[in-house]
Amino acid sequence: MRLRRERLRRVVTGVALSALLGSGLVVAAAAPSTAAPHSTDTWTVDDPGRSTLTAQLDLDSAGELHLAVDRGGAPVLLPGRLGIRTDQHDLTTGLELIRRQDRTVHESYRMTTGKQLRRSATMREATFTFRGADGAQLGVAVRVSDDGVAYRYLLDDKGTVTVTQEASTFDLPTDAEAWVQPYATSYETERTETTAGAANTAQPRTCTGDTCSFGYPTLFQVGGTYVLLTEADVDGRYSGSHLDHVDGSGAYSVALADDAPVTSQGPLATPWRTAIVGDLDTLVGSTLVDDLAPPSKVEDTSWIRPGVDDWSWLSDGSSPGDYDRQRDFVDYAAEHGLQYTLVDAGWQASWVPELVRYARARGVDVILWFDWNDLKTQQQRDDWLPKVKAWGVAGVKVDYMYSDSQSTFQWYDAILRDTARLRLMVDFHGATIPRGLQRTWPQVMSVEAVRGEENGQNPTRDIFLAFTRNIVGSMDYTPTWFSRPNRQDSLAHELALPVVYESGWTSLGDNPEGFAAQPVAERYLEQLPTTWDETHLVSGGPGQQPAGDRQAVIARRNGDRWFVGGILAGPGDTMTAPLGFLGKGTWLLETVGDSDGQLQRTVRTVTAKETLDVPAAANGGFVALACPATKGRTDCDHPVITAPATSLALDPSATTAGPGAKVGIDATFELPQGTALRQVRLTVDRDRLPAGWTASGRDVTAGSLPAGRALDGRWTVTVGKDQPGGEVDVPVVATYANPAGGKAPPIHVEEIARVSIPLHGTVYASDQPFLTETNGYGPVERDQSNGEAGGQDGHPLTIGATVYPKGLGMNAPAQVQIDVQGRCTRFEAHVGVDDETSGQGSVTFTVLGDGRQLAATGVLHGGQDATDLTADVTGVHTLTLAAGDGGDGKNYDHADWGLAQLTCAN
């Protein structure tokens, strides 16, 4: 039975609740009313055009709230329960209306990523204020736009507010088609096609009794309308949530992460409970989740650069630990105009700076992977993030968060502040779904939260993702592993994925050899942008087509070029793409599809009135590239511009100097051949010198540097008076305007002048740079135990209840190498298994000098006192400290080198 609709005259809400509504522009003022509470029990909020969507809020005789949504007069969401409980108030029943305020919210903003860079959103908003049975007030803000409906709760309590539960429920017809994902904090489970009522039967893995949990975003079809349920504007003031469903019902209730309460300082505005509503094209093009998010917290976004990277881990899992192999990927990126190389798990701090220098001289920036356990605390972030920024790393990929808890969202808040301050871009892997994050923090280039290519292939999953996960934000799917053994899709399907899926950083999954075997694909990927001015669904849907397949064809515009990607799951079929999105004029259209197991490219001219029909193989697809047809134009390519080979020579490149000494450094920068360089600058990077060091001498500049002409500079570097023994790198940098033009950053050519400060007196191993480092779990720790999970997560070095303030913490098998300059005579340490293992673990300790064993222990066990280990290191240059597994595997093998000190010449 349809609920009666009446409009309550608008009244002004209290100041406290109004202040929670955000920064939208009010263009329709509220008019006061003296209407008494419960003068009506039903109110409506229409979309801005009052033509399509209507949200209907109902207060029943028990004082319980329900929200329904209609589209074009037809019900889409049935009346679903609203309300919230805190540790002080039950605001789910016994409610009575106090007032209502209406306004129109209009926002225009610009994104750095996403399906549409320039955004304009208009939403009608009504804020209802209710009084609970105990006199507490509850605000409910309802927004309706052309593409959906959202609501949030407003609690004006002062001081601490603890939310224990929401009554928020979305109610659908039980026979509505549904595409659901069993909830997991990784969001990497498979999606299933079912119905709203039968979802639990389809995927029972996340169920307790007759209740199962499902993750956002969840897609339903009600008649001819689609509904995508999710949430927006979640940060550390709250937790994430998911949907709980009782078997056989159509109700999906909002459950807080871990069923745990959330605590914030009031007044509190909860996240938006969000339903994107419309046809499939409306959903694919929707920006509602971003529209509901807070504005950008980063004023200057000029340093943020989306782009394409080649990523070695997927096709060559051991390669991130191999410097030479990573150079292969850098060379490939440079040759094909890719902006980045992503170095994943296994990299070593001993060679990453050198790789970054190599890459930046070739116009390629480096993205560096981190386990989140290495960046979990503020101290860890303060240790690592400025360091990698100084190396020249452009951004970080952070992995393994796997949580929707409030504390994890508070961690997101903290690392986003830190990376914004340091101008480091971010990719969140092993993460939760985006909820408007990329609007608020525009340095976020992508987010995983998807069962991507690294988890195997499933062409049907590929279709579902186009209509679910990727609608709500950038998706780090890592496509295009063409050479994958036993690949489940066609070459053209694989090539289409980085167009079908939007991601600010698109990580290509094959290796240089695999790409080289597909030159047609290489040509297309060289042209591929990762930012878009428009996005449209051209054809397809998540359900089966008449031929028994599923299809998705999506078109995205960048400037005056349209990129089209089409994918199919199931038997081969003709894929159809009406070209109306092109607009007026004649267009040159390049199409790449499958032909006898190979990729084939065709070119023709078309108009918007035509339809593109592409025969597709089983689990196949196609890509297309369209540009305005002009006289003499035969393709849509933009030239691939690479950085020229240059030369930067330093004299000396290495020297020895004591504390307070002065070192002269001469530098010569030259372009051997090619077009003249512009805006050239040669300098010492003073910001990266240690405290107490100075560099005198002027920067050298040239507006134009033609081939064959050298740019020379000279600087005098003064070593800090308190500089301890060891090695310090003095960076000399030449920069010049990127020949690619536009917003491409300057090319950065860097060489290092290495200054060795003689070791003298007592030197601790933990204070020296490592030439190489390997460890069973996480990094080797300095002055603390291993702890296993990540960097800086250990405890004070403790063996047999004795605490050592200095030393190294390892997890066997592990080793480090240190340059001791041939100046030291004795090494000594107190070694053993750290007490944190509670008596477990077994380790051997070995000291090597220039590859020759100098001293070793037998097997030491947890719970034993420390063993003294000494070695004569006279004349040794490379000292190796190694911890071996004592025979029981690496678990609990927390090897401590207490003190670990050297006696060196004075």
Side-chain angles (χ1 to χ4, degrees):
M1 179 177 179
R2 298 306 306 277
L3 296 173
R4 177 172 55 93
R5 296 178 179 172
E6 297 181 20
R7 293 189 183 276
L8 181 70
R9 284 183 294 171
R10 306 169 197 153
V11 298
V12 180
T13 81
V15 173
L17 291 179
S18 178
L20 291 166
L21 293 176
S23 59
L25 173 65
V26 181
V27 298
S33 172
T34 58
H38 278 305
S39 61
T40 181
D41 59 3
T42 302
W43 311 275
T44 60
V45 185
D46 296 323
D47 67 64
R50 293 187 171 89
S51 59
T52 304
L53 291 183
T54 298
Q56 180 173 293
L57 188 65
D58 168 62
L59 185 67
D60 65 19
S61 59
E64 296 181 356
L65 285 170
H66 297 81
L67 183 73
V69 176
D70 291 356
R71 179 173 179 250
V76 177
L77 288 175
L78 305 178
R81 187 82 183 276
L82 271 65
I84 194 167
R85 293 184 178 91
T86 73
D87 61 348
Q88 300 293 320
H89 310 291
D90 182 354
L91 295 169
T92 65
T93 190
L95 300 173
E96 60 177 358
L97 182 70
I98 299 174
R99 59 181 69 88
R100 168 179 177 166
Q101 181 186 27
D102 285 60
R103 66 175 186 163
T104 296
V105 178
H106 181 77
E107 295 188 335
S108 296
Y109 60 96
R110 183 175 177 84
M111 297 282 288
T112 60
T113 57
K115 63 188 78 174
Q116 182 180 337
L117 291 182
R118 294 185 180 277
R119 307 283 181 87
S120 180
T122 301
M123 295 168 278
R124 290 290 300 164
E125 178 184 271
T127 300
F128 302 87
T129 304
F130 299 91
R131 180 184 294 115
D134 64 356
Q137 290 191 12
L138 169 68
V140 179
V142 180
R143 285 188 180 181
V144 182
S145 66
D146 293 336
D147 57 347
V149 174
Y151 67 89
R152 75 188 326 170
Y153 304 115
L154 309 171
L155 302 173
D156 64 355
D157 298 50
K158 305 300 189 294
T160 301
V161 179
T162 298
V163 175
T164 58
Q165 188 182 35
E166 291 188 27
S168 312
T169 302
F170 296 100
D171 209 336
L172 297 117
T174 57
D175 61 352
E177 289 188 74
W179 291 266
V180 298
Q181 179 183 36
Y183 176 67
T185 54
S186 67
Y187 293 84
E188 292 181 6
T189 53
E190 291 283 14
R191 294 176 185 270
T192 301
E193 183 175 18
T194 179
T195 63
N200 294 17
T201 304
Q203 289 285 355
R205 289 179 296 166
T206 56
C207 304
T208 301
D210 62 353
T211 301
C212 298
S213 297
F214 297 93
Y216 299 122
T218 302
L219 179 66
F220 299 91
Q221 182 179 6
V222 182
T225 296
Y226 289 84
V227 182
L228 189 72
L229 301 182
T230 188
E231 61 182 352
D233 186 16
V234 183
D235 57 22
R237 75 187 188 281
Y238 217 73
S239 73
S241 69
H242 55 271
L243 297 173
D244 280 352
H245 174 250
V246 176
D247 189 34
S249 80
Y252 286 76
S253 59
V254 173
L256 301 181
D258 306 322
D259 294 321
V262 296
T263 299
S264 290
Q265 288 300 114
L268 172 66
T270 70
W272 292 99
R273 306 294 165 220
T274 306
I276 304 173
V277 182
D279 56 25
L280 285 176
D281 186 35
T282 298
L283 266 64
V284 168
S286 172
T287 62
L288 181 58
V289 171
D290 291 330
D291 297 340
L292 293 168
S296 174
K297 296 179 182 291
V298 181
E299 292 185 8
D300 178 12
T301 61
S302 61
W303 53 276
I304 299 171
R305 187 171 66 126
V308 178
D309 65 81
D310 57 355
W311 174 52
S312 70
W313 182 90
L314 185 62
S315 62
D316 190 352
S318 64
S319 61
D322 185 336
Y323 169 77
D324 291 332
R325 186 57 170 157
Q326 288 304 304
R327 279 182 45 145
D328 292 340
F329 280 82
V330 168
D331 290 341
Y332 185 85
E335 180 182 351
H336 294 275
L338 310 184
Q339 292 81 18
Y340 299 98
T341 288
L342 169 55
V343 185
D344 213 276
W347 57 267
Q348 295 182 26
S350 57
W351 54 253
V352 165
E354 183 179 351
L355 180 72
V356 173
R357 290 192 292 269
Y358 181 84
R360 295 179 81 189
R362 287 154 182 78
V364 177
D365 277 315
V366 170
I367 305 164
L368 204 58
W369 176 95
F370 275 91
D371 184 325
W372 92 296
N373 285 291
D374 291 336
L375 299 173
K376 196 171 183 178
T377 69
Q378 190 63 55
Q379 182 62 56
Q380 289 171 309
R381 293 191 295 276
D382 289 344
D383 287 343
W384 271 117
L385 295 179
K387 180 185 296 184
V388 301
K389 178 67 176 180
W391 291 348
V393 167
V396 292
K397 172 181 177 179
V398 190
D399 207 347
Y400 302 138
M401 285 72 74
Y402 293 155
S403 173
D404 280 323
S405 68
Q406 183 179 18
S407 63
T408 302
F409 275 95
Q410 290 167 347
W411 173 85
Y412 280 114
D413 293 345
I415 194 171
L416 287 165
R417 287 192 299 267
D418 293 340
T419 52
R421 183 182 71 253
L422 291 168
R423 297 194 166 196
L424 285 168
M425 292 171 279
V426 184
D427 171 15
F428 287 124
H429 215 63
T432 189
I433 60 166
R435 296 165 167 90
L437 182 72
Q438 291 174 280
R439 178 185 179 188
T440 308
W441 296 102
Q443 79 270 27
V444 178
M445 294 292 95
S446 196
V447 178
E448 189 186 24
V450 66
R451 189 170 181 82
E453 188 101 356
E454 65 185 71
N455 288 302
Q457 293 180 300
N458 182 336
T460 299
R461 175 214 303 159
D462 293 346
I463 303 295
F464 291 168
L465 291 175
F467 300 103
T468 53
R469 165 63 182 84
N470 204 205
I471 287 176
V472 301
S474 290
M475 186 173 78
D476 189 14
Y477 186 82
T478 64
T480 68
W481 188 0
F482 299 112
S483 63
R484 183 179 199 140
N486 303 313
R487 186 164 33 79
Q488 301 299 304
D489 57 6
S490 77
L491 291 169
H493 182 115
E494 197 70 14
L495 180 58
L497 291 177
V499 181
V500 174
Y501 299 152
E502 182 274 320
S503 182
W505 277 343
T506 294
S507 296
L508 304 183
D510 216 329
N511 52 52
E513 298 78 17
F515 286 123
Q518 305 297 335
V520 176
E522 283 186 306
R523 178 175 182 167
Y524 192 84
L525 293 173
E526 287 173 350
Q527 301 300 312
L528 184 68
T530 63
T531 57
W532 308 104
D533 299 305
E534 288 184 67
T535 293
H536 293 289
L537 174 66
V538 179
S539 61
Q544 287 192 344
Q545 307 292 309
D549 56 29
R550 290 179 170 87
Q551 299 183 20
V553 181
I554 291 178
R556 303 185 189 273
R557 180 176 65 83
N558 177 280
D560 66 351
R561 298 192 299 175
W562 283 94
F563 292 76
V564 184
I567 56 175
L568 174 149
D573 193 11
T574 297
M575 300 186 70
T576 299
L579 299 177
F581 60 86
L582 291 176
K584 297 179 180 179
T586 302
W587 296 78
L588 190 68
L589 181 70
E590 305 178 31
T591 306
V592 176
D594 295 304
S595 178
D596 297 325
Q598 298 296 318
L599 292 173
Q600 184 176 44
R601 175 176 173 268
T602 59
V603 182
R604 63 188 177 106
T605 56
V606 297
T607 67
K609 296 180 180 180
E610 298 181 50
T611 296
L612 176 64
D613 294 317
V614 182
N619 296 325
F622 75 94
V623 295
L625 172 55
C627 58
T630 56
K631 186 176 181 179
R633 189 171 193 174
T634 59
D635 61 53
C636 294
D637 291 357
H638 289 174
V640 175
I641 299 174
T642 60
T646 58
S647 171
L648 176 57
L650 305 184
D651 183 21
S653 59
T655 189
T656 299
K662 297 183 182 297
V663 177
I665 299 176
D666 293 313
T668 299
F669 179 66
E670 187 175 6
L671 173 69
Q673 59 182 7
T675 304
L677 306 180
R678 297 181 299 106
Q679 301 174 20
V680 185
R681 178 179 295 274
L682 184 61
T683 185
V684 168
D685 191 342
R686 295 170 174 83
D687 292 338
R688 288 161 58 192
L689 294 177
W693 288 53
T694 61
S696 59
R698 293 184 178 180
D699 295 352
V700 184
T701 62
S704 176
L705 183 67
R709 182 180 299 173
L711 198 64
D712 297 315
R714 179 176 176 81
W715 295 267
T716 298
V717 176
T718 303
V719 179
K721 293 181 179 180
D722 298 324
Q723 180 66 41
E727 292 183 339
V728 172
D729 291 337
V730 176
V732 179
V733 179
T735 60
Y736 61 90
N738 197 311
K743 293 186 177 180
I747 303 297
H748 184 106
V749 183
E750 179 178 305
E751 292 292 342
I752 292 298
R754 183 152 292 165
V755 180
S756 295
I757 294 88
L759 298 173
H760 57 279
T762 298
V763 174
Y764 292 102
S766 58
D767 293 334
Q768 299 305 304
F770 299 152
L771 300 176
T772 63
E773 170 193 347
T774 60
N775 203 46
Y777 286 113
V780 173
E781 299 286 7
R782 300 173 186 268
D783 304 328
Q784 62 179 306
S785 63
N786 175 252
E788 289 196 4
Q792 301 291 319
D793 64 350
H795 302 92
L797 294 159
T798 309
I799 309 170
T802 299
V803 178
Y804 299 93
K806 301 289 291 182
L808 300 175
M810 296 180 172
N811 191 295
Q815 74 167 34
V816 296
Q817 290 186 323
I818 300 169
D819 181 5
V820 295
Q821 303 175 348
R823 292 181 52 83
C824 304
T825 57
R826 177 182 172 84
F827 171 80
E828 57 185 295
H830 306 282
V831 299
V833 178
D834 194 279
D835 286 0
E836 68 187 354
T837 65
S838 302
Q840 301 181 76
S842 61
V843 181
T844 62
F845 293 81
T846 304
V847 180
L848 298 97
D850 296 330
R852 179 172 56 89
Q853 181 172 310
L854 304 178
T857 70
V859 177
L860 305 183
H861 297 276
Q864 295 178 341
D865 290 341
T867 295
D868 292 340
L869 183 62
T870 62
D872 182 350
V873 295
T874 303
V876 169
H877 285 267
T878 301
L879 178 71
T880 302
L881 305 179
D885 169 41
D888 60 353
K890 63 184 178 181
N891 290 330
Y892 304 106
D893 288 348
H894 293 200
D896 287 356
W897 299 77
L899 296 184
Q901 64 187 28
L902 292 148
T903 301
C904 305
N906 287 315

